[in-house]
């Protein structure tokens, strides 16, 4: 009975946070010539993160952020994402013919997943990471990378700690980061279509944050943005594992052994 009550309180809390975030609405901020639209999604993440800090996590709030509630939320997050993915699947259909015409672009953007290795690995090693860098730079640290690292090295290894750290950081800050990055890239001259395709990074929450920010910039292109982003996300989910295993892993191994003498193969 106590656990059910705690769960009901959690659901009520989430609904209140959503309501507050929607009331705040989309808030544009201008930095020089740069205009960034902060979405309700951003405010919801910030509110829940701030209230989850130790200073606020007392009494009533401690019950909401209990280990049982956190475990429940993590375990059943997929059920919340399923309707969203069904919606994105429906968004692909109206733009299917257009998407097929630029199909090679969607395939080419898969090479962008190697950026975590090409850029992230040298930075991680420069910061002093060693085997942890292998787990934290193989990809965005989503389920595919988490599964690969856990099977090959176990999560109780330096590589496992690396991928788990990135998984947690991505969960906390991923959607927030991409919802701000997308309008910044648009202000630098990147087209809406290109950024919509780039939104499909392999994480539903990150893709939603990015594509929603783009829709806020160009609401008249909402169908195109959501269609391109959803198609890119589906393709990344399908090809991401093969890109990781056959391209990212060999490249990372080569670069790691090159930059870290005596690194274990």
């Amino acid at each position: 009975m106590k656990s059910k009550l705690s769960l009901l309180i959690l659901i009520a809390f989430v609904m209140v946070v959503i309501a507050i975030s929607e009331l705040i609405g989309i808030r544009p901020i201008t930095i020089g010539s740069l205009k960034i639209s902060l979405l309700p999604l951003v405010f919801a993440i910030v509110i829940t993160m701030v209230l989850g800090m130790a200073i606020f996590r007392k009494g009533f709030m401690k019950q909401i952020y209990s280990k049982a509630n956190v475990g429940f939320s993590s375990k059943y997050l997929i059920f919340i994402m399923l309707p969203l993915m069904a919606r994105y699947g429906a968004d692909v259909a109206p733009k299917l013919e257009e998407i097929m015409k630029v199909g090679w672009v969607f395939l080419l953007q898969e090479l962008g997943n190697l950026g975590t290795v090409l850029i992230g690995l040298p930075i991680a090693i420069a910061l002093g990471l060693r085997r942890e860098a292998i787990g934290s730079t193989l990809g965005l640290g989503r389920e595919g990378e988490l599964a690969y690292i856990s099977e090959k090295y176990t999560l109780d290894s330096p590589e496992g700690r690396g991928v788990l750290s990135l998984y947690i950081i991505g969960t906390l800050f991923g959607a927030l980061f991409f919802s701000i990055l997308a309008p910044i890239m648009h202000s630098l001259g990147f087209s809406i279509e290109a950024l919509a395709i780039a939104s499909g990074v392999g994480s539903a929450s990150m893709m939603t944050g990015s594509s929603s920010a783009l829709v806020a910039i160009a609401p008249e292109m909402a169908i195109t943005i959501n269609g391109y982003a959803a198609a890119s996300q589906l393709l990344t989910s399908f090809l991401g594992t093969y890109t990781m295993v056959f391209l990212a892993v060999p490249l990372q191994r080569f670069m790691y052994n090159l930059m870290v003498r005596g690194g274990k193969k």
Side-chain angles (χ1 to χ4, degrees):
M1 178 63 72
K2 186 177 180 180
S3 61
K4 289 183 178 179
L5 178 62
S6 178
L7 181 58
L8 289 174
I9 293 174
L10 171 64
I11 294 172
F13 170 72
V14 170
M15 297 302 293
V16 170
V17 170
I18 292 173
I20 293 173
S21 302
E22 289 294 338
L23 286 173
I24 295 173
I26 300 174
R27 297 291 176 178
I29 59 172
T30 303
I31 305 173
S33 60
L34 177 64
K35 185 178 180 180
I36 302 173
S37 295
L38 298 181
L39 307 171
L41 173 66
V42 173
F43 296 115
I45 293 172
V46 172
I47 291 170
T48 51
M49 286 178 60
V50 170
L51 293 178
M53 296 171 63
I55 190 172
F56 297 109
R57 204 167 61 243
K58 298 176 182 178
F60 176 73
M61 295 305 299
K62 186 176 182 181
Q63 185 177 0
I64 292 175
Y65 286 89
S66 67
K67 185 177 291 186
N69 280 346
V70 172
F72 174 86
S73 301
S74 301
K75 183 177 180 181
Y76 292 103
L77 177 64
I78 184 63
F79 291 105
I80 299 174
M81 302 308 296
L82 285 175
L84 176 66
M85 298 316 297
R87 160 68 190 275
Y88 282 129
D91 287 335
V92 172
K95 290 290 179 178
L96 192 57
E97 185 177 350
E98 186 177 332
I99 289 169
M100 293 297 291
K101 289 179 180 178
V102 292
W104 64 273
V105 176
F106 288 91
L107 292 173
L108 187 62
Q109 68 95 28
E110 275 300 305
L111 296 178
N113 291 330
L114 300 179
T116 55
V117 176
L118 292 170
I119 300 173
L121 184 62
I123 294 175
I125 291 176
L127 291 174
L129 297 178
R130 287 299 179 260
R131 303 301 296 181
E132 293 86 355
I134 292 176
S136 60
T137 65
L138 185 57
L140 287 177
R142 297 299 90 197
E143 285 72 13
E145 290 82 19
L146 191 67
Y148 177 85
I149 293 295
S150 64
E151 286 295 320
K152 186 171 178 63
Y153 301 101
T154 77
L155 294 179
D156 194 29
S157 64
E159 293 86 352
R161 289 193 293 273
V163 74
L164 275 176
S165 299
L166 196 68
Y167 184 84
I168 293 170
I169 291 172
T171 301
L172 293 175
F173 299 104
L176 179 64
F177 176 79
F178 277 98
S179 66
I180 296 174
L181 181 64
I184 290 176
M185 298 302 289
H186 180 260
S187 69
L188 294 176
F190 287 87
S191 72
I192 287 286
E193 292 87 353
L195 292 171
I197 294 173
S199 298
V201 294
S203 166
S205 59
M206 295 179 194
M207 185 265 292
T208 301
S210 178
S211 59
S212 298
L214 294 174
V215 170
I217 295 172
E220 72 282 358
M221 297 181 64
I223 296 177
T224 297
I225 293 169
N226 288 331
Y228 278 25
S232 177
Q233 175 73 10
L234 292 172
L235 193 61
T236 299
S237 300
F238 176 68
L239 295 179
T241 301
Y242 298 99
T243 303
M244 175 184 65
V245 172
F246 295 110
L247 294 177
V249 169
L251 177 63
Q252 186 188 60
R253 185 180 296 119
F254 170 77
M255 290 179 61
Y256 183 86
N257 290 330
L258 189 66
M259 289 184 284
V260 182
R261 292 186 178 182
K264 294 181 180 180
K265 296 183 179 180

